[in-house]
Amino acid sequence: MILLNRIRSIVFFLLFLLMPAALLFGQSPTVKASIDSISIMVGSQAKIRLEISKALTNNITIPLLSDSIIQGLEIVDVPKLDTVKFGNNQEQINVNYSVTSFDEGLYYIPPFAVVSQNDTIYSNSLSLKVNTMKVDTVSKAFYDIKPVLSPRFVLADYIYILVIVWVILVILAVLIYFLFFKPKKAKLIFKKKTELPPHVKALRALEEIKQKNLWQQGLNKEYHTQLTDVLRTYLFERFGISAQEMTSDEILSSVQAYHEAESASENLKQVLKLADLAKFAKFTPLPNENDLSYVNSRLFISQTQPEEVPEKNDQKNSQQENNPASGKQPMQ
């Protein structure tokens, strides 16, 4: 007997625990429809709201209409859905429709159907009255439609057209002038500007540095920097050595490869080494050392400049003067 009572107690306890789940599982969704106004004017809008309360685990199918609710009652925009979750595993889905009508009358909106598993739940029905403006045909006199009036002429309305026409006419006039009436001028022959040889440019640059009197003003670093810049540019233009991107040792090593510059490399070495001391070691050269760098710079350029080739006309004139058969006597 005691064992039987214990079994009954356990069964009742299990049933008590499973009762909420069973109630929740068996609870059907509820559907409620509402409208914000039961009467609107033709062309105005009304809001229809469909509220569906259900369990989270319950899958349903919601009616989503896109064109019209019923004939004569049109949907203005896409239905909007929002979901609100509550406690106890419950949620509410709201479907909002904006509707309008352009025909006067009383519209009956049938219940909305929501499918839940194998069951169909219906909402309540609604009604909407659409009114139109009443026209007083007794006290008011009506007239025929007036004809279309022509707008007043305002010059400002056509100013853009006039500007465009004026620009087109100017362009056409210029084209006609240049094509048919402009006198043809003789072609001008432009002589190509003769570029100075590298050694001439370098010697002129050295002379400009000398005129600045930099080291006399205590600007030793600037003085030697400008000297070496002139030499680096000269080496690039004369021999194709990228001296601007090289160290002093790399420049001296590259110069050794050119026979015409090999004998003058000692002059270049003195200028570069003293410049490195003045620029990087904060060394202050003596006045005679500054002058020596300038002199060696000019010597290096002069010793490595290309030899001048006499022109053919000069050679021919020289041969004629020395030839007795030419009939010309050399000048005394």
Side-chain angles (χ1 to χ4, degrees):
M1 189 68 179
I2 296 174
L3 180 61
L4 182 60
N5 290 333
R6 287 183 176 178
I7 293 173
R8 288 178 179 176
S9 299
I10 292 172
V11 171
F12 283 124
F13 180 73
L14 293 175
L15 291 175
F16 177 77
L17 292 177
L18 296 175
M19 186 177 297
L23 292 174
L24 184 61
F25 179 78
Q27 186 177 5
S28 299
T30 59
V31 184
K32 178 184 176 182
S34 61
I35 190 168
D36 64 344
S37 178
I38 61 173
S39 177
I40 62 172
M41 296 297 295
V42 170
S44 299
Q45 297 182 11
K47 304 289 185 181
I48 296 177
R49 182 181 179 89
L50 188 62
E51 300 177 355
I52 305 169
S53 301
K54 70 177 189 68
L56 291 174
T57 57
N58 196 345
N59 296 325
I60 62 173
T61 302
I62 302 173
L64 294 178
L65 307 175
S66 59
D67 295 329
S68 61
I69 300 292
I70 58 175
Q71 184 177 1
L73 197 59
E74 300 177 4
I75 297 176
V76 177
D77 55 6
V78 179
K80 299 178 181 178
L81 283 77
D82 62 88
T83 303
V84 181
K85 293 185 179 180
F86 304 103
N88 300 326
N89 200 28
Q90 293 288 317
E91 68 176 353
Q92 178 176 308
I93 300 175
N94 302 319
V95 185
N96 299 302
Y97 295 96
S98 296
V99 297
T100 187
S101 179
F102 299 97
D103 295 324
E104 182 185 12
L106 179 63
Y107 293 91
Y108 169 75
I109 303 173
F112 293 89
V114 176
V115 178
S116 174
Q117 297 177 356
N118 296 327
D119 191 13
T120 302
I121 300 94
Y122 294 93
S123 69
N124 54 298
S125 60
L126 300 172
S127 61
L128 177 64
K129 185 177 182 181
V130 180
N131 301 315
T132 186
M133 294 289 296
K134 293 183 178 180
V135 180
D136 187 0
T137 59
V138 177
S139 59
K140 301 293 183 181
F142 292 90
Y143 302 94
D144 196 3
I145 299 175
K146 292 184 177 180
V148 178
L149 298 177
S150 300
R152 295 184 298 110
F153 177 79
V154 180
L155 182 61
D157 296 338
Y158 304 93
I159 189 66
Y160 297 105
I161 298 176
L162 295 176
V163 170
I164 294 173
V165 172
W166 180 81
V167 171
I168 293 174
L169 292 176
V170 170
I171 294 174
L172 290 176
V174 172
L175 290 176
I176 292 173
Y177 171 76
F178 279 100
L179 291 176
F180 301 102
F181 300 102
K182 184 180 179 182
K184 294 183 179 180
K185 294 182 180 180
K187 293 183 179 180
L188 298 177
I189 300 176
F190 296 94
K191 293 184 179 180
K192 185 178 179 180
K193 185 179 179 180
T194 304
E195 187 176 356
L196 295 175
H199 66 278
V200 176
K201 292 193 295 183
L203 292 174
R204 290 185 178 180
L206 290 176
E207 186 63 28
E208 292 178 359
I209 295 173
K210 182 180 180 181
Q211 298 298 327
K212 294 179 183 178
N213 295 324
L214 295 175
W215 68 264
Q216 291 87 342
Q217 304 174 33
L219 302 175
N220 291 286
K221 181 179 179 180
E222 289 77 2
Y223 172 73
H224 288 278
T225 299
Q226 294 185 20
L227 284 181
T228 54
D229 286 344
V230 172
L231 293 176
R232 289 172 187 269
T233 303
Y234 170 73
L235 288 172
F236 176 74
E237 295 180 351
R238 174 68 176 89
F239 301 104
I241 299 174
S242 300
Q244 296 288 1
E245 304 172 358
M246 294 182 178
T247 62
S248 297
D249 292 334
E250 291 173 345
I251 293 173
L252 293 172
S253 177
S254 300
V255 167
Q256 296 294 330
Y258 296 90
H259 176 72
E260 56 268 42
E262 185 177 0
S263 60
S265 60
E266 289 300 323
N267 297 331
L268 177 63
K269 181 178 179 179
Q270 183 275 328
V271 177
L272 294 178
K273 293 300 181 181
L274 185 60
D276 289 342
L277 291 174
K279 290 191 291 184
F280 305 115
K282 297 182 179 179
F283 175 73
T284 303
L286 297 175
N288 60 340
E289 291 177 323
N290 291 327
D291 288 333
L292 181 61
S293 291
Y294 176 80
V295 172
N296 284 338
S297 298
R298 292 188 65 91
L299 285 175
F300 176 79
I301 295 171
S302 299
Q303 292 173 355
T304 56
Q305 70 183 35
E307 296 181 359
E308 295 184 1
V309 179
E311 297 182 358
K312 294 182 178 181
N313 292 334
D314 295 340
Q315 294 178 356
K316 185 176 179 180
N317 293 334
S318 177
Q319 293 175 0
Q320 289 178 353
E321 290 177 357
N322 297 326
N323 187 2
S326 61
K328 295 183 178 179
Q329 297 296 329
M331 295 181 64
Q332 298 297 330

